[in-house]
Amino acid sequence: MNKIDMNVFREDILDTIRESILVLDSSLNVIYANEAFYELFKVSPADVLNRYIYDLGNGQWDIPGLHKLFDGVSSDTTSFNDLKISHDFPTIGQKVMLINAKQLSDGSREEKYIFVAIEDITEKTKILESSLQANKLSMIGQLSAGIAHGLSSPLTGIHNFLDIYVKQEPEDGARKQEYKLMLEACDYMNKIVKNLTYFARTTKDEMEKVSLADVINSTLIFSERQFISSNIFIVKEILEEPKDIKGNKAQLQHVLLNLLINAKEAMSGGGEIKVKAWNSEDGNFVFLEVSDNGKGIAKEDLPHVFEPFFTTKKEQYGSGLGLSAVYGIIKNHQGEINIESEERKGTRVLVKFNSLR
């Protein structure tokens, strides 16, 4: 029987494991990394082997949460399990990882090693968060539908009476101005009710073949003037004629207008909003992008922007339902929406639709 080189045999086994594996010596220098580690973190053996763990990738692994744990394993603790770390790596972006580590020995008292297993749970986390968000929206949506239904009729009646009263008053009368203020308040409340209706997905508008280019052009015709008066210019870029999608034109116009207004409110000193549309290379999808160079969204607020009633605006300017309504409409269109933002640099919203082939 041929003898097997056990070191090679062990490395071959580790290279077949999907989790990223590191082996550190007692000084926390890397003495082994498997193929999954190199693939996930886009590095080569020369970048990793015989290097101090916290120096990897020009300090990318100098993560505060790891110091106490690795240092503990190398001294008085033998292991730690399922440490969840979220870290933004400059080269590969945001990663969410589960890290397990255990101290090993080769049988001698002098040589100690730390075996580290890293599971990339970034996509699992996104799916879980999306599922939780969908469940939350579904439950609140039922409540919203009841509220919207209960408020719609009384508000319409109040608005109609006020409209009659305001026409009966002389133009320079003080009461006429009071009625006008009441009408504005009713209009504001009606907008909230309308957002609740969209959010709850109770609208009965039919889905049909819709041109995204037509949605963009028609929305800009009616809204562009109010942006120019605020020293905000909209740049439209339709790279090619977008394929048709199955949708509701009025709801999609509501989505685009809401995204434009959000961008406008992020640019108090003026600026530029870009509206782009294009097809995927395979023609299966159509993309809509709205980006601005405004103040951006704080990193801690970004995960909450689609939550109902969450808003960073002053109370009189936002109900916290605009993006929730947008999220509901996009999901109702079997689409996806993602927001990227950085404070003082701007925001980018990307919407993805299935195309009609």
Side-chain angles (χ1 to χ4, degrees), residues 102-133:
K102 185 175 181 61
Q103 188 182 96
L104 302 174
S105 172
D106 65 352
S108 68
R109 293 185 177 181
E110 292 79 12
E111 293 297 331
K112 301 287 185 181
Y113 303 98
I114 301 175
F115 184 90
V116 184
I118 304 165
E119 182 183 358
D120 178 15
I121 60 169
T122 308
E123 292 305 316
K124 290 181 182 179
T125 301
K126 288 180 180 178
I127 292 171
L128 178 60
E129 289 176 351
S130 178
S131 176
L132 291 173
Q133 176 76 349

PDB file of all heavy atoms in Angstrom, residues 102-133:
ATOM      1  N   LYS A 102     -11.232  27.606  16.933  1.00  0.00           N
ATOM      2  CA  LYS A 102     -10.899  26.633  17.971  1.00  0.00           C
ATOM      3  C   LYS A 102      -9.386  26.481  18.047  1.00  0.00           C
ATOM      4  O   LYS A 102      -8.707  26.412  17.020  1.00  0.00           O
ATOM      5  CB  LYS A 102     -11.551  25.287  17.669  1.00  0.00           C
ATOM      6  CG  LYS A 102     -11.349  24.228  18.765  1.00  0.00           C
ATOM      7  CD  LYS A 102     -12.120  22.979  18.448  1.00  0.00           C
ATOM      8  CE  LYS A 102     -11.944  21.929  19.532  1.00  0.00           C
ATOM      9  NZ  LYS A 102     -12.425  22.393  20.858  1.00  0.00           N
ATOM     10  N   GLN A 103      -8.883  26.396  19.272  1.00  0.00           N
ATOM     11  CA  GLN A 103      -7.447  26.187  19.463  1.00  0.00           C
ATOM     12  C   GLN A 103      -7.135  24.704  19.320  1.00  0.00           C
ATOM     13  O   GLN A 103      -7.817  23.843  19.880  1.00  0.00           O
ATOM     14  CB  GLN A 103      -7.021  26.680  20.850  1.00  0.00           C
ATOM     15  CG  GLN A 103      -5.509  26.686  21.058  1.00  0.00           C
ATOM     16  CD  GLN A 103      -5.131  27.125  22.465  1.00  0.00           C
ATOM     17  OE1 GLN A 103      -4.923  26.280  23.319  1.00  0.00           O
ATOM     18  NE2 GLN A 103      -5.054  28.429  22.673  1.00  0.00           N
ATOM     19  N   LEU A 104      -6.107  24.418  18.535  1.00  0.00           N
ATOM     20  CA  LEU A 104      -5.679  23.042  18.296  1.00  0.00           C
ATOM     21  C   LEU A 104      -4.225  22.882  18.716  1.00  0.00           C
ATOM     22  O   LEU A 104      -3.476  23.856  18.811  1.00  0.00           O
ATOM     23  CB  LEU A 104      -5.832  22.681  16.813  1.00  0.00           C
ATOM     24  CG  LEU A 104      -7.226  22.817  16.207  1.00  0.00           C
ATOM     25  CD1 LEU A 104      -7.160  22.555  14.709  1.00  0.00           C
ATOM     26  CD2 LEU A 104      -8.223  21.879  16.869  1.00  0.00           C
ATOM     27  N   SER A 105      -3.829  21.630  18.921  1.00  0.00           N
ATOM     28  CA  SER A 105      -2.445  21.341  19.294  1.00  0.00           C
ATOM     29  C   SER A 105      -1.952  20.171  18.463  1.00  0.00           C
ATOM     30  O   SER A 105      -2.718  19.275  18.096  1.00  0.00           O
ATOM     31  CB  SER A 105      -2.354  21.008  20.786  1.00  0.00           C
ATOM     32  OG  SER A 105      -1.058  20.557  21.118  1.00  0.00           O
ATOM     33  N   ASP A 106      -0.644  20.190  18.147  1.00  0.00           N
ATOM     34  CA  ASP A 106      -0.081  19.078  17.387  1.00  0.00           C
ATOM     35  C   ASP A 106       0.417  17.963  18.310  1.00  0.00           C
ATOM     36  O   ASP A 106       1.103  17.041  17.892  1.00  0.00           O
ATOM     37  CB  ASP A 106       1.060  19.557  16.489  1.00  0.00           C
ATOM     38  CG  ASP A 106       2.253  20.064  17.282  1.00  0.00           C
ATOM     39  OD1 ASP A 106       2.114  20.183  18.522  1.00  0.00           O
ATOM     40  OD2 ASP A 106       3.290  20.340  16.663  1.00  0.00           O
ATOM     41  N   GLY A 107       0.076  18.061  19.590  1.00  0.00           N
ATOM     42  CA  GLY A 107       0.499  17.043  20.540  1.00  0.00           C
ATOM     43  C   GLY A 107       1.585  17.515  21.474  1.00  0.00           C
ATOM     44  O   GLY A 107       1.787  16.960  22.547  1.00  0.00           O
ATOM     45  N   SER A 108       2.303  18.545  21.090  1.00  0.00           N
ATOM     46  CA  SER A 108       3.337  19.095  21.962  1.00  0.00           C
ATOM     47  C   SER A 108       2.759  20.265  22.733  1.00  0.00           C
ATOM     48  O   SER A 108       1.750  20.847  22.359  1.00  0.00           O
ATOM     49  CB  SER A 108       4.537  19.565  21.139  1.00  0.00           C
ATOM     50  OG  SER A 108       4.185  20.689  20.350  1.00  0.00           O
ATOM     51  N   ARG A 109       3.402  20.603  23.796  1.00  0.00           N
ATOM     52  CA  ARG A 109       2.914  21.715  24.614  1.00  0.00           C
ATOM     53  C   ARG A 109       3.261  23.061  23.996  1.00  0.00           C
ATOM     54  O   ARG A 109       2.608  24.057  24.259  1.00  0.00           O
ATOM     55  CB  ARG A 109       3.510  21.628  26.015  1.00  0.00           C
ATOM     56  CG  ARG A 109       3.024  20.419  26.807  1.00  0.00           C
ATOM     57  CD  ARG A 109       3.558  20.462  28.224  1.00  0.00           C
ATOM     58  NE  ARG A 109       3.056  19.364  29.032  1.00  0.00           N
ATOM     59  CZ  ARG A 109       3.364  19.179  30.317  1.00  0.00           C
ATOM     60  NH1 ARG A 109       4.171  20.045  30.930  1.00  0.00           N
ATOM     61  NH2 ARG A 109       2.870  18.145  30.975  1.00  0.00           N
ATOM     62  N   GLU A 110       4.292  23.070  23.171  1.00  0.00           N
ATOM     63  CA  GLU A 110       4.763  24.346  22.638  1.00  0.00           C
ATOM     64  C   GLU A 110       3.915  24.840  21.475  1.00  0.00           C
ATOM     65  O   GLU A 110       3.603  26.022  21.369  1.00  0.00           O
ATOM     66  CB  GLU A 110       6.227  24.224  22.190  1.00  0.00           C
ATOM     67  CG  GLU A 110       7.222  24.012  23.324  1.00  0.00           C
ATOM     68  CD  GLU A 110       7.249  22.563  23.806  1.00  0.00           C
ATOM     69  OE1 GLU A 110       6.659  21.714  23.093  1.00  0.00           O
ATOM     70  OE2 GLU A 110       7.819  22.297  24.869  1.00  0.00           O
ATOM     71  N   GLU A 111       3.567  23.941  20.559  1.00  0.00           N
ATOM     72  CA  GLU A 111       2.903  24.362  19.325  1.00  0.00           C
ATOM     73  C   GLU A 111       1.392  24.390  19.501  1.00  0.00           C
ATOM     74  O   GLU A 111       0.761  23.370  19.758  1.00  0.00           O
ATOM     75  CB  GLU A 111       3.277  23.414  18.183  1.00  0.00           C
ATOM     76  CG  GLU A 111       4.731  23.488  17.774  1.00  0.00           C
ATOM     77  CD  GLU A 111       5.103  24.866  17.238  1.00  0.00           C
ATOM     78  OE1 GLU A 111       4.220  25.544  16.675  1.00  0.00           O
ATOM     79  OE2 GLU A 111       6.261  25.273  17.399  1.00  0.00           O
ATOM     80  N   LYS A 112       0.826  25.587  19.347  1.00  0.00           N
ATOM     81  CA  LYS A 112      -0.619  25.772  19.394  1.00  0.00           C
ATOM     82  C   LYS A 112      -1.056  26.439  18.101  1.00  0.00           C
ATOM     83  O   LYS A 112      -0.364  27.305  17.557  1.00  0.00           O
ATOM     84  CB  LYS A 112      -1.024  26.653  20.580  1.00  0.00           C
ATOM     85  CG  LYS A 112      -0.617  26.116  21.952  1.00  0.00           C
ATOM     86  CD  LYS A 112      -1.467  24.937  22.359  1.00  0.00           C
ATOM     87  CE  LYS A 112      -1.106  24.502  23.774  1.00  0.00           C
ATOM     88  NZ  LYS A 112      -1.896  23.334  24.216  1.00  0.00           N
ATOM     89  N   TYR A 113      -2.218  26.041  17.609  1.00  0.00           N
ATOM     90  CA  TYR A 113      -2.753  26.615  16.378  1.00  0.00           C
ATOM     91  C   TYR A 113      -4.204  27.030  16.606  1.00  0.00           C
ATOM     92  O   TYR A 113      -4.884  26.501  17.486  1.00  0.00           O
ATOM     93  CB  TYR A 113      -2.688  25.599  15.233  1.00  0.00           C
ATOM     94  CG  TYR A 113      -1.308  25.074  14.966  1.00  0.00           C
ATOM     95  CD1 TYR A 113      -0.891  23.848  15.486  1.00  0.00           C
ATOM     96  CD2 TYR A 113      -0.419  25.819  14.202  1.00  0.00           C
ATOM     97  CE1 TYR A 113       0.381  23.373  15.251  1.00  0.00           C
ATOM     98  CE2 TYR A 113       0.868  25.340  13.948  1.00  0.00           C
ATOM     99  CZ  TYR A 113       1.263  24.124  14.478  1.00  0.00           C
ATOM    100  OH  TYR A 113       2.523  23.667  14.253  1.00  0.00           O
ATOM    101  N   ILE A 114      -4.657  27.960  15.795  1.00  0.00           N
ATOM    102  CA  ILE A 114      -6.063  28.375  15.847  1.00  0.00           C
ATOM    103  C   ILE A 114      -6.694  28.061  14.495  1.00  0.00           C
ATOM    104  O   ILE A 114      -6.244  28.571  13.454  1.00  0.00           O
ATOM    105  CB  ILE A 114      -6.212  29.874  16.163  1.00  0.00           C
ATOM    106  CG1 ILE A 114      -5.563  30.196  17.510  1.00  0.00           C
ATOM    107  CG2 ILE A 114      -7.692  30.274  16.183  1.00  0.00           C
ATOM    108  CD1 ILE A 114      -5.554  31.675  17.845  1.00  0.00           C
ATOM    109  N   PHE A 115      -7.692  27.208  14.510  1.00  0.00           N
ATOM    110  CA  PHE A 115      -8.424  26.833  13.304  1.00  0.00           C
ATOM    111  C   PHE A 115      -9.637  27.758  13.196  1.00  0.00           C
ATOM    112  O   PHE A 115     -10.451  27.835  14.110  1.00  0.00           O
ATOM    113  CB  PHE A 115      -8.873  25.377  13.410  1.00  0.00           C
ATOM    114  CG  PHE A 115      -9.548  24.843  12.180  1.00  0.00           C
ATOM    115  CD1 PHE A 115      -8.814  24.242  11.172  1.00  0.00           C
ATOM    116  CD2 PHE A 115     -10.924  24.935  12.042  1.00  0.00           C
ATOM    117  CE1 PHE A 115      -9.440  23.738  10.034  1.00  0.00           C
ATOM    118  CE2 PHE A 115     -11.555  24.446  10.911  1.00  0.00           C
ATOM    119  CZ  PHE A 115     -10.809  23.843   9.908  1.00  0.00           C
ATOM    120  N   VAL A 116      -9.752  28.481  12.068  1.00  0.00           N
ATOM    121  CA  VAL A 116     -10.815  29.480  11.888  1.00  0.00           C
ATOM    122  C   VAL A 116     -11.667  29.103  10.684  1.00  0.00           C
ATOM    123  O   VAL A 116     -11.152  28.894   9.582  1.00  0.00           O
ATOM    124  CB  VAL A 116     -10.224  30.893  11.676  1.00  0.00           C
ATOM    125  CG1 VAL A 116     -11.349  31.925  11.589  1.00  0.00           C
ATOM    126  CG2 VAL A 116      -9.252  31.252  12.791  1.00  0.00           C
ATOM    127  N   ALA A 117     -12.967  28.991  10.897  1.00  0.00           N
ATOM    128  CA  ALA A 117     -13.924  28.713   9.812  1.00  0.00           C
ATOM    129  C   ALA A 117     -14.819  29.934   9.625  1.00  0.00           C
ATOM    130  O   ALA A 117     -15.393  30.450  10.589  1.00  0.00           O
ATOM    131  CB  ALA A 117     -14.760  27.491  10.142  1.00  0.00           C
ATOM    132  N   ILE A 118     -14.920  30.406   8.392  1.00  0.00           N
ATOM    133  CA  ILE A 118     -15.667  31.622   8.082  1.00  0.00           C
ATOM    134  C   ILE A 118     -16.772  31.286   7.088  1.00  0.00           C
ATOM    135  O   ILE A 118     -16.498  30.829   5.974  1.00  0.00           O
ATOM    136  CB  ILE A 118     -14.751  32.700   7.477  1.00  0.00           C
ATOM    137  CG1 ILE A 118     -13.569  32.983   8.418  1.00  0.00           C
ATOM    138  CG2 ILE A 118     -15.533  33.976   7.183  1.00  0.00           C
ATOM    139  CD1 ILE A 118     -12.448  33.750   7.767  1.00  0.00           C
ATOM    140  N   GLU A 119     -18.013  31.491   7.502  1.00  0.00           N
ATOM    141  CA  GLU A 119     -19.155  31.249   6.611  1.00  0.00           C
ATOM    142  C   GLU A 119     -19.708  32.590   6.138  1.00  0.00           C
ATOM    143  O   GLU A 119     -20.058  33.453   6.942  1.00  0.00           O
ATOM    144  CB  GLU A 119     -20.248  30.464   7.337  1.00  0.00           C
ATOM    145  CG  GLU A 119     -21.437  30.152   6.441  1.00  0.00           C
ATOM    146  CD  GLU A 119     -22.565  29.441   7.165  1.00  0.00           C
ATOM    147  OE1 GLU A 119     -22.408  29.157   8.367  1.00  0.00           O
ATOM    148  OE2 GLU A 119     -23.609  29.188   6.527  1.00  0.00           O
ATOM    149  N   ASP A 120     -19.792  32.756   4.824  1.00  0.00           N
ATOM    150  CA  ASP A 120     -20.343  33.979   4.246  1.00  0.00           C
ATOM    151  C   ASP A 120     -21.874  33.861   4.241  1.00  0.00           C
ATOM    152  O   ASP A 120     -22.437  33.059   3.494  1.00  0.00           O
ATOM    153  CB  ASP A 120     -19.814  34.155   2.822  1.00  0.00           C
ATOM    154  CG  ASP A 120     -20.384  35.395   2.127  1.00  0.00           C
ATOM    155  OD1 ASP A 120     -20.948  36.246   2.836  1.00  0.00           O
ATOM    156  OD2 ASP A 120     -20.268  35.486   0.888  1.00  0.00           O
ATOM    157  N   ILE A 121     -22.534  34.643   5.075  1.00  0.00           N
ATOM    158  CA  ILE A 121     -24.000  34.593   5.155  1.00  0.00           C
ATOM    159  C   ILE A 121     -24.628  35.881   4.637  1.00  0.00           C
ATOM    160  O   ILE A 121     -25.755  36.219   4.987  1.00  0.00           O
ATOM    161  CB  ILE A 121     -24.467  34.315   6.605  1.00  0.00           C
ATOM    162  CG1 ILE A 121     -23.984  35.413   7.565  1.00  0.00           C
ATOM    163  CG2 ILE A 121     -24.006  32.942   7.077  1.00  0.00           C
ATOM    164  CD1 ILE A 121     -24.640  35.338   8.941  1.00  0.00           C
ATOM    165  N   THR A 122     -23.899  36.587   3.775  1.00  0.00           N
ATOM    166  CA  THR A 122     -24.396  37.866   3.249  1.00  0.00           C
ATOM    167  C   THR A 122     -25.728  37.695   2.543  1.00  0.00           C
ATOM    168  O   THR A 122     -26.703  38.409   2.830  1.00  0.00           O
ATOM    169  CB  THR A 122     -23.371  38.484   2.293  1.00  0.00           C
ATOM    170  OG1 THR A 122     -22.094  38.554   2.935  1.00  0.00           O
ATOM    171  CG2 THR A 122     -23.791  39.889   1.885  1.00  0.00           C
ATOM    172  N   GLU A 123     -25.805  36.736   1.603  1.00  0.00           N
ATOM    173  CA  GLU A 123     -27.037  36.549   0.842  1.00  0.00           C
ATOM    174  C   GLU A 123     -28.155  36.008   1.717  1.00  0.00           C
ATOM    175  O   GLU A 123     -29.318  36.418   1.577  1.00  0.00           O
ATOM    176  CB  GLU A 123     -26.776  35.605  -0.346  1.00  0.00           C
ATOM    177  CG  GLU A 123     -25.881  36.187  -1.419  1.00  0.00           C
ATOM    178  CD  GLU A 123     -26.396  37.519  -1.947  1.00  0.00           C
ATOM    179  OE1 GLU A 123     -27.622  37.627  -2.188  1.00  0.00           O
ATOM    180  OE2 GLU A 123     -25.594  38.449  -2.121  1.00  0.00           O
ATOM    181  N   LYS A 124     -27.824  35.082   2.616  1.00  0.00           N
ATOM    182  CA  LYS A 124     -28.843  34.559   3.536  1.00  0.00           C
ATOM    183  C   LYS A 124     -29.435  35.689   4.372  1.00  0.00           C
ATOM    184  O   LYS A 124     -30.641  35.738   4.621  1.00  0.00           O
ATOM    185  CB  LYS A 124     -28.226  33.506   4.457  1.00  0.00           C
ATOM    186  CG  LYS A 124     -27.849  32.196   3.779  1.00  0.00           C
ATOM    187  CD  LYS A 124     -27.275  31.222   4.796  1.00  0.00           C
ATOM    188  CE  LYS A 124     -26.849  29.918   4.128  1.00  0.00           C
ATOM    189  NZ  LYS A 124     -26.251  28.967   5.107  1.00  0.00           N
ATOM    190  N   THR A 125     -28.566  36.596   4.826  1.00  0.00           N
ATOM    191  CA  THR A 125     -29.025  37.718   5.640  1.00  0.00           C
ATOM    192  C   THR A 125     -29.952  38.622   4.843  1.00  0.00           C
ATOM    193  O   THR A 125     -30.988  39.079   5.347  1.00  0.00           O
ATOM    194  CB  THR A 125     -27.817  38.522   6.158  1.00  0.00           C
ATOM    195  OG1 THR A 125     -26.967  37.661   6.928  1.00  0.00           O
ATOM    196  CG2 THR A 125     -28.270  39.687   7.032  1.00  0.00           C
ATOM    197  N   LYS A 126     -29.592  38.887   3.572  1.00  0.00           N
ATOM    198  CA  LYS A 126     -30.439  39.725   2.722  1.00  0.00           C
ATOM    199  C   LYS A 126     -31.808  39.089   2.508  1.00  0.00           C
ATOM    200  O   LYS A 126     -32.844  39.768   2.558  1.00  0.00           O
ATOM    201  CB  LYS A 126     -29.756  39.962   1.368  1.00  0.00           C
ATOM    202  CG  LYS A 126     -28.564  40.898   1.429  1.00  0.00           C
ATOM    203  CD  LYS A 126     -27.959  41.072   0.043  1.00  0.00           C
ATOM    204  CE  LYS A 126     -26.753  42.010   0.080  1.00  0.00           C
ATOM    205  NZ  LYS A 126     -26.138  42.151  -1.271  1.00  0.00           N
ATOM    206  N   ILE A 127     -31.820  37.768   2.268  1.00  0.00           N
ATOM    207  CA  ILE A 127     -33.085  37.068   2.050  1.00  0.00           C
ATOM    208  C   ILE A 127     -33.945  37.114   3.311  1.00  0.00           C
ATOM    209  O   ILE A 127     -35.156  37.353   3.251  1.00  0.00           O
ATOM    210  CB  ILE A 127     -32.819  35.608   1.623  1.00  0.00           C
ATOM    211  CG1 ILE A 127     -32.172  35.570   0.228  1.00  0.00           C
ATOM    212  CG2 ILE A 127     -34.111  34.796   1.626  1.00  0.00           C
ATOM    213  CD1 ILE A 127     -31.670  34.205  -0.179  1.00  0.00           C
ATOM    214  N   LEU A 128     -33.306  36.880   4.468  1.00  0.00           N
ATOM    215  CA  LEU A 128     -34.040  36.907   5.732  1.00  0.00           C
ATOM    216  C   LEU A 128     -34.603  38.299   5.995  1.00  0.00           C
ATOM    217  O   LEU A 128     -35.774  38.445   6.375  1.00  0.00           O
ATOM    218  CB  LEU A 128     -33.119  36.485   6.873  1.00  0.00           C
ATOM    219  CG  LEU A 128     -33.728  36.518   8.284  1.00  0.00           C
ATOM    220  CD1 LEU A 128     -34.926  35.588   8.363  1.00  0.00           C
ATOM    221  CD2 LEU A 128     -32.680  36.147   9.326  1.00  0.00           C
ATOM    222  N   GLU A 129     -33.785  39.326   5.780  1.00  0.00           N
ATOM    223  CA  GLU A 129     -34.249  40.694   6.020  1.00  0.00           C
ATOM    224  C   GLU A 129     -35.390  41.048   5.072  1.00  0.00           C
ATOM    225  O   GLU A 129     -36.344  41.718   5.456  1.00  0.00           O
ATOM    226  CB  GLU A 129     -33.086  41.674   5.849  1.00  0.00           C
ATOM    227  CG  GLU A 129     -32.063  41.585   6.977  1.00  0.00           C
ATOM    228  CD  GLU A 129     -30.864  42.490   6.733  1.00  0.00           C
ATOM    229  OE1 GLU A 129     -30.757  43.045   5.610  1.00  0.00           O
ATOM    230  OE2 GLU A 129     -30.045  42.651   7.656  1.00  0.00           O
ATOM    231  N   SER A 130     -35.275  40.584   3.813  1.00  0.00           N
ATOM    232  CA  SER A 130     -36.338  40.842   2.837  1.00  0.00           C
ATOM    233  C   SER A 130     -37.629  40.154   3.250  1.00  0.00           C
ATOM    234  O   SER A 130     -38.720  40.719   3.133  1.00  0.00           O
ATOM    235  CB  SER A 130     -35.897  40.352   1.456  1.00  0.00           C
ATOM    236  OG  SER A 130     -36.919  40.540   0.501  1.00  0.00           O
ATOM    237  N   SER A 131     -37.506  38.918   3.755  1.00  0.00           N
ATOM    238  CA  SER A 131     -38.684  38.173   4.195  1.00  0.00           C
ATOM    239  C   SER A 131     -39.339  38.840   5.404  1.00  0.00           C
ATOM    240  O   SER A 131     -40.569  38.977   5.473  1.00  0.00           O
ATOM    241  CB  SER A 131     -38.277  36.735   4.548  1.00  0.00           C
ATOM    242  OG  SER A 131     -39.373  36.012   5.053  1.00  0.00           O
ATOM    243  N   LEU A 132     -38.511  39.262   6.363  1.00  0.00           N
ATOM    244  CA  LEU A 132     -39.042  39.945   7.537  1.00  0.00           C
ATOM    245  C   LEU A 132     -39.730  41.251   7.152  1.00  0.00           C
ATOM    246  O   LEU A 132     -40.779  41.597   7.693  1.00  0.00           O
ATOM    247  CB  LEU A 132     -37.914  40.218   8.539  1.00  0.00           C
ATOM    248  CG  LEU A 132     -37.312  39.000   9.238  1.00  0.00           C
ATOM    249  CD1 LEU A 132     -36.097  39.414  10.074  1.00  0.00           C
ATOM    250  CD2 LEU A 132     -38.345  38.312  10.123  1.00  0.00           C
ATOM    251  N   GLN A 133     -39.104  41.963   6.207  1.00  0.00           N
ATOM    252  CA  GLN A 133     -39.692  43.224   5.740  1.00  0.00           C
ATOM    253  C   GLN A 133     -41.040  42.969   5.075  1.00  0.00           C
ATOM    254  O   GLN A 133     -42.010  43.696   5.296  1.00  0.00           O
ATOM    255  CB  GLN A 133     -38.737  43.913   4.763  1.00  0.00           C
ATOM    256  CG  GLN A 133     -39.280  45.189   4.134  1.00  0.00           C
ATOM    257  CD  GLN A 133     -39.258  46.369   5.072  1.00  0.00           C
ATOM    258  OE1 GLN A 133     -39.033  46.218   6.266  1.00  0.00           O
ATOM    259  NE2 GLN A 133     -39.509  47.537   4.543  1.00  0.00           N
TER     260      GLN A 133
END
